[in-house]
Structure formats: structure tokens, C-alpha cells
């Protein structure tokens, strides 16, 4: 079955950078869209960024200009480069893969904490 595994989270100071990785168990061409979501305690999960099978990207307004989503098809991996991190970016970040069938798959999440 489909598995998504996130990595790269951790503790970083405000203004710092992290790169999250999402490794898929199958060719990422299998997904209609892949993306990153985040969820802080007590809050709803929210969209961070998406990348379609064709390479088109979308970003939440809160991260535009700071985050970049990308992919490496050969490595079956989607990345989220996060720069100029702010405390409000603190959350569990989840990788999502949307299949052409409409089924969504989620990774286990990786914690990102931005604090001085």
C-alpha cells in the first residue's frame, strides 16, 4: 500500500531554515497532487504548499516567499524548503498525496518548532 514518510523536522531559531522531505513508496507520478500541511495543537490542519503532477505549485499566503515545495521524481521524494522561519510556523508538518482516484494518503508527521 501507499506509504509517505516525512523527515527533516526539528528545532530551529527564528529566521532559520529547515528542509522537510517526504519519501513515497511509489513513483510520485502516481499522485495527482502532493503537498504539505501543518497542524498546531488545538488548531485545524491547514494547507502549506502543493505541487501537482505537472509541476504547478500553490502556497498558503502565510508562507509565500519563504517556503518552496519541490520534487525529485527519481528519488520519489517531495521537499519543503522553509526559510525565514517564524514562531508561528511551529506545527506538525504532514505530507499528503492525492491519488487520481481521489484517495488521500498522509504521512506520520514531523515536528517543526521555531523558537529562540
Amino acid at each position: 500500500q501507499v506509504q509517505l514518510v516525512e523527515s527533516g523536522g526539528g528545532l530551529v531559531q527564528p529566521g532559520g531554515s529547515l528542509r522537510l522531505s517526504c519519501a513515497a513508496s511509489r513513483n510520485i507520478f502516481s499522485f495527482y497532487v502532493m503537498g504539505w500541511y501543518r497542524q498546531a495543537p488545538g488548531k485545524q490542519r491547514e494547507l502549506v504548499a502543493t505541487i501537482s503532477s505537472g509541476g504547478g505549485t500553490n502556497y498558503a499566503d502565510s508562507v509565500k516567499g519563504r517556503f518552496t515545495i519541490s520534487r525529485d521524481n527519481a528519488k520519489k521524494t517531495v521537499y519543503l524548503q522553509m526559510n525565514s522561519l517564524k514562531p508561528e510556523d511551529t506545527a506538525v508538518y504532514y505530507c499528503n498525496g492525492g491519488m487520481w482516484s481521489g484517495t488521500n494518503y498522509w504521512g506520520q508527521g514531523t515536528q517543526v518548532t521555531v523558537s529562540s
Side-chain angles (χ1 to χ4, degrees):
Q1 61 180 355
V2 175
Q3 292 184 340
L4 302 174
V5 180
E6 302 100 331
S7 62
L11 175 64
V12 65
Q13 294 181 334
S17 298
L18 285 173
R19 189 177 75 160
L20 306 183
S21 298
C22 173
S25 62
R26 66 168 66 189
N27 195 310
I28 59 176
F29 292 142
S30 299
F31 298 96
Y32 167 70
V33 64
M34 299 193 72
W36 290 93
Y37 291 73
R38 65 187 182 187
Q39 187 169 25
K43 295 185 178 180
Q44 293 184 313
R45 190 171 299 183
E46 65 176 351
L47 170 71
V48 177
T50 62
I51 185 165
S52 72
S53 61
T57 59
N58 286 288
Y59 297 92
D61 288 341
S62 59
V63 307
K64 285 181 179 178
R66 300 188 298 119
F67 291 10
T68 303
I69 189 169
S70 62
R71 68 188 182 196
D72 186 327
N73 294 333
K75 295 182 178 180
K76 302 179 182 179
T77 301
V78 174
Y79 303 96
L80 184 68
Q81 179 67 46
M82 304 185 294
N83 299 325
S84 301
L85 283 162
K86 304 175 181 179
E88 51 262 45
D89 295 318
T90 296
V92 177
Y93 284 70
Y94 296 92
C95 182
N96 171 263
M99 302 294 290
W100 292 98
S101 65
T103 301
N104 282 318
Y105 294 90
W106 295 92
Q108 82 287 349
T110 185
Q111 177 71 48
V112 172
T113 302
V114 184
S115 177
S116 60

PDB file of all heavy atoms in Angstrom, residues 77-91:
ATOM      1  N   THR A  77      10.582  11.643  -3.952  1.00  0.00           N
ATOM      2  CA  THR A  77      10.591  12.498  -2.776  1.00  0.00           C
ATOM      3  C   THR A  77      10.105  13.894  -3.109  1.00  0.00           C
ATOM      4  O   THR A  77      10.451  14.452  -4.150  1.00  0.00           O
ATOM      5  CB  THR A  77      12.005  12.575  -2.177  1.00  0.00           C
ATOM      6  OG1 THR A  77      12.437  11.260  -1.828  1.00  0.00           O
ATOM      7  CG2 THR A  77      12.018  13.447  -0.932  1.00  0.00           C
ATOM      8  N   VAL A  78       9.299  14.425  -2.215  1.00  0.00           N
ATOM      9  CA  VAL A  78       8.856  15.811  -2.270  1.00  0.00           C
ATOM     10  C   VAL A  78       9.489  16.553  -1.103  1.00  0.00           C
ATOM     11  O   VAL A  78       9.571  16.021   0.006  1.00  0.00           O
ATOM     12  CB  VAL A  78       7.326  15.904  -2.219  1.00  0.00           C
ATOM     13  CG1 VAL A  78       6.872  17.357  -2.131  1.00  0.00           C
ATOM     14  CG2 VAL A  78       6.721  15.248  -3.451  1.00  0.00           C
ATOM     15  N   TYR A  79       9.919  17.770  -1.355  1.00  0.00           N
ATOM     16  CA  TYR A  79      10.604  18.559  -0.351  1.00  0.00           C
ATOM     17  C   TYR A  79       9.827  19.827  -0.027  1.00  0.00           C
ATOM     18  O   TYR A  79       9.071  20.344  -0.841  1.00  0.00           O
ATOM     19  CB  TYR A  79      11.996  18.961  -0.834  1.00  0.00           C
ATOM     20  CG  TYR A  79      12.879  17.814  -1.217  1.00  0.00           C
ATOM     21  CD1 TYR A  79      12.993  17.410  -2.545  1.00  0.00           C
ATOM     22  CD2 TYR A  79      13.608  17.129  -0.253  1.00  0.00           C
ATOM     23  CE1 TYR A  79      13.808  16.353  -2.903  1.00  0.00           C
ATOM     24  CE2 TYR A  79      14.428  16.071  -0.601  1.00  0.00           C
ATOM     25  CZ  TYR A  79      14.526  15.689  -1.929  1.00  0.00           C
ATOM     26  OH  TYR A  79      15.343  14.635  -2.273  1.00  0.00           O
ATOM     27  N   LEU A  80      10.053  20.315   1.151  1.00  0.00           N
ATOM     28  CA  LEU A  80       9.580  21.634   1.530  1.00  0.00           C
ATOM     29  C   LEU A  80      10.753  22.384   2.140  1.00  0.00           C
ATOM     30  O   LEU A  80      11.174  22.079   3.258  1.00  0.00           O
ATOM     31  CB  LEU A  80       8.419  21.563   2.517  1.00  0.00           C
ATOM     32  CG  LEU A  80       7.810  22.912   2.896  1.00  0.00           C
ATOM     33  CD1 LEU A  80       7.093  23.533   1.699  1.00  0.00           C
ATOM     34  CD2 LEU A  80       6.854  22.769   4.073  1.00  0.00           C
ATOM     35  N   GLN A  81      11.281  23.329   1.394  1.00  0.00           N
ATOM     36  CA  GLN A  81      12.338  24.184   1.902  1.00  0.00           C
ATOM     37  C   GLN A  81      11.697  25.344   2.639  1.00  0.00           C
ATOM     38  O   GLN A  81      10.908  26.089   2.059  1.00  0.00           O
ATOM     39  CB  GLN A  81      13.213  24.701   0.765  1.00  0.00           C
ATOM     40  CG  GLN A  81      14.327  25.633   1.202  1.00  0.00           C
ATOM     41  CD  GLN A  81      15.377  24.940   2.037  1.00  0.00           C
ATOM     42  OE1 GLN A  81      15.829  23.855   1.682  1.00  0.00           O
ATOM     43  NE2 GLN A  81      15.759  25.555   3.152  1.00  0.00           N
ATOM     44  N   MET A  82      12.035  25.494   3.891  1.00  0.00           N
ATOM     45  CA  MET A  82      11.447  26.517   4.728  1.00  0.00           C
ATOM     46  C   MET A  82      12.535  27.486   5.162  1.00  0.00           C
ATOM     47  O   MET A  82      13.468  27.102   5.870  1.00  0.00           O
ATOM     48  CB  MET A  82      10.762  25.897   5.946  1.00  0.00           C
ATOM     49  CG  MET A  82       9.714  24.855   5.597  1.00  0.00           C
ATOM     50  SD  MET A  82       8.827  24.236   7.054  1.00  0.00           S
ATOM     51  CE  MET A  82      10.171  23.393   7.899  1.00  0.00           C
ATOM     52  N   ASN A  83      12.414  28.714   4.732  1.00  0.00           N
ATOM     53  CA  ASN A  83      13.356  29.763   5.083  1.00  0.00           C
ATOM     54  C   ASN A  83      12.663  30.843   5.894  1.00  0.00           C
ATOM     55  O   ASN A  83      11.445  30.948   5.899  1.00  0.00           O
ATOM     56  CB  ASN A  83      13.967  30.375   3.819  1.00  0.00           C
ATOM     57  CG  ASN A  83      14.738  29.389   2.986  1.00  0.00           C
ATOM     58  OD1 ASN A  83      15.381  28.478   3.502  1.00  0.00           O
ATOM     59  ND2 ASN A  83      14.689  29.570   1.670  1.00  0.00           N
ATOM     60  N   SER A  84      13.462  31.647   6.546  1.00  0.00           N
ATOM     61  CA  SER A  84      12.942  32.759   7.343  1.00  0.00           C
ATOM     62  C   SER A  84      11.830  32.304   8.277  1.00  0.00           C
ATOM     63  O   SER A  84      10.763  32.917   8.360  1.00  0.00           O
ATOM     64  CB  SER A  84      12.440  33.876   6.417  1.00  0.00           C
ATOM     65  OG  SER A  84      13.470  34.344   5.576  1.00  0.00           O
ATOM     66  N   LEU A  85      12.086  31.237   8.973  1.00  0.00           N
ATOM     67  CA  LEU A  85      11.066  30.639   9.822  1.00  0.00           C
ATOM     68  C   LEU A  85      10.666  31.564  10.964  1.00  0.00           C
ATOM     69  O   LEU A  85      11.493  32.284  11.527  1.00  0.00           O
ATOM     70  CB  LEU A  85      11.551  29.306  10.361  1.00  0.00           C
ATOM     71  CG  LEU A  85      11.492  28.164   9.346  1.00  0.00           C
ATOM     72  CD1 LEU A  85      12.384  27.012   9.778  1.00  0.00           C
ATOM     73  CD2 LEU A  85      10.052  27.689   9.170  1.00  0.00           C
ATOM     74  N   LYS A  86       9.392  31.506  11.275  1.00  0.00           N
ATOM     75  CA  LYS A  86       8.804  32.309  12.327  1.00  0.00           C
ATOM     76  C   LYS A  86       8.217  31.401  13.399  1.00  0.00           C
ATOM     77  O   LYS A  86       7.869  30.257  13.122  1.00  0.00           O
ATOM     78  CB  LYS A  86       7.686  33.195  11.761  1.00  0.00           C
ATOM     79  CG  LYS A  86       8.105  34.093  10.615  1.00  0.00           C
ATOM     80  CD  LYS A  86       6.903  34.828  10.040  1.00  0.00           C
ATOM     81  CE  LYS A  86       7.293  35.721   8.886  1.00  0.00           C
ATOM     82  NZ  LYS A  86       6.118  36.411   8.307  1.00  0.00           N
ATOM     83  N   PRO A  87       8.083  31.899  14.621  1.00  0.00           N
ATOM     84  CA  PRO A  87       7.475  31.073  15.667  1.00  0.00           C
ATOM     85  C   PRO A  87       6.098  30.544  15.283  1.00  0.00           C
ATOM     86  O   PRO A  87       5.747  29.426  15.671  1.00  0.00           O
ATOM     87  CB  PRO A  87       7.388  32.030  16.862  1.00  0.00           C
ATOM     88  CG  PRO A  87       8.533  32.958  16.654  1.00  0.00           C
ATOM     89  CD  PRO A  87       8.599  33.169  15.158  1.00  0.00           C
ATOM     90  N   GLU A  88       5.335  31.312  14.530  1.00  0.00           N
ATOM     91  CA  GLU A  88       4.015  30.869  14.121  1.00  0.00           C
ATOM     92  C   GLU A  88       4.044  29.733  13.105  1.00  0.00           C
ATOM     93  O   GLU A  88       2.999  29.169  12.773  1.00  0.00           O
ATOM     94  CB  GLU A  88       3.182  32.037  13.574  1.00  0.00           C
ATOM     95  CG  GLU A  88       3.891  32.848  12.506  1.00  0.00           C
ATOM     96  CD  GLU A  88       4.542  34.106  13.051  1.00  0.00           C
ATOM     97  OE1 GLU A  88       5.193  34.031  14.114  1.00  0.00           O
ATOM     98  OE2 GLU A  88       4.394  35.173  12.423  1.00  0.00           O
ATOM     99  N   ASP A  89       5.223  29.388  12.609  1.00  0.00           N
ATOM    100  CA  ASP A  89       5.359  28.225  11.743  1.00  0.00           C
ATOM    101  C   ASP A  89       5.427  26.928  12.538  1.00  0.00           C
ATOM    102  O   ASP A  89       5.423  25.846  11.949  1.00  0.00           O
ATOM    103  CB  ASP A  89       6.613  28.342  10.871  1.00  0.00           C
ATOM    104  CG  ASP A  89       6.540  29.494   9.889  1.00  0.00           C
ATOM    105  OD1 ASP A  89       5.468  29.702   9.284  1.00  0.00           O
ATOM    106  OD2 ASP A  89       7.562  30.184   9.713  1.00  0.00           O
ATOM    107  N   THR A  90       5.522  27.034  13.844  1.00  0.00           N
ATOM    108  CA  THR A  90       5.604  25.852  14.690  1.00  0.00           C
ATOM    109  C   THR A  90       4.358  24.993  14.532  1.00  0.00           C
ATOM    110  O   THR A  90       3.238  25.469  14.713  1.00  0.00           O
ATOM    111  CB  THR A  90       5.779  26.252  16.156  1.00  0.00           C
ATOM    112  OG1 THR A  90       7.024  26.927  16.321  1.00  0.00           O
ATOM    113  CG2 THR A  90       5.760  25.029  17.065  1.00  0.00           C
ATOM    114  N   ALA A  91       4.558  23.736  14.196  1.00  0.00           N
ATOM    115  CA  ALA A  91       3.445  22.819  13.963  1.00  0.00           C
ATOM    116  C   ALA A  91       4.006  21.450  13.630  1.00  0.00           C
ATOM    117  O   ALA A  91       5.209  21.286  13.414  1.00  0.00           O
ATOM    118  CB  ALA A  91       2.561  23.314  12.815  1.00  0.00           C
TER     119      ALA A  91
END
